[in-house]
Amino acid sequence: QVNSNASLTVSLAQTPYCKKHKYDPQNPLCAHIIFCGSVVKVNDSEAAIAKKALFSRHPEMESWPKDHNWFFAKFNITNIWVLDYFGGLKIVTPEEYYSVKP
């Protein structure tokens, strides 16, 4: 409630990729991406979508105690850094990130 800033790091070390290539998880070739931004409570129009998405993946959460003051939030990403090679981070804008076609 005081500071909504947050970051999330996702690494290829979480997959078989780095082990397959014999990369130490700290090696930049075992790439990782860092998302930074803020966590914001969703508005009423977004809450239904958030509930459906969460409970479809984690149905047991729907019965968690209501008096624990749970709420649905989203991660507003403002900065993205990719470390996938030697020589430092690469900066990716959120617009670039969201416009990539899989």
Side-chain angles (χ1 to χ4, degrees), residues 78-83 88-94 96:
T78 55
N79 297 296
I80 303 169
W81 298 295
V82 178
L83 182 61
L89 296 163
K90 295 173 184 70
I91 297 172
V92 178
T93 67
E96 291 169 324

Side-chain angles (χ1 to χ4, degrees), residues 1-99:
Q1 293 176 343
V2 174
N3 184 345
S4 65
N5 291 323
S7 61
L8 171 69
T9 299
V10 181
S11 172
L12 281 178
Q14 296 168 271
T15 71
Y17 179 85
C18 297
K19 190 171 187 175
K20 176 183 171 187
H21 290 88
K22 297 182 173 59
Y23 294 150
D24 182 287
Q26 297 302 312
N27 183 330
L29 298 176
C30 185
H32 66 270
I33 186 168
I34 304 162
F35 300 95
C36 295
S38 59
V39 177
V40 179
K41 189 173 183 177
V42 298
N43 62 39
D44 291 339
S45 65
E46 297 170 309
I49 296 167
K51 284 180 184 182
K52 183 177 179 181
L54 181 66
F55 296 153
S56 69
R57 291 171 181 84
H58 306 283
E60 71 283 357
M61 291 180 75
E62 196 164 3
S63 65
W64 283 9
K66 305 290 186 231
D67 62 349
H68 286 201
N69 297 319
W70 300 107
F71 63 90
F72 290 90
K74 60 186 174 181
F75 188 21
N76 283 338
I77 298 169
T78 55
N79 297 296
I80 303 169
W81 298 295
V82 178
L83 182 61
D84 64 351
Y85 200 73
F86 298 95
L89 296 163
K90 295 173 184 70
I91 297 172
V92 178
T93 67
E95 294 77 22
E96 291 169 324
Y97 179 80
Y98 288 119
S99 69

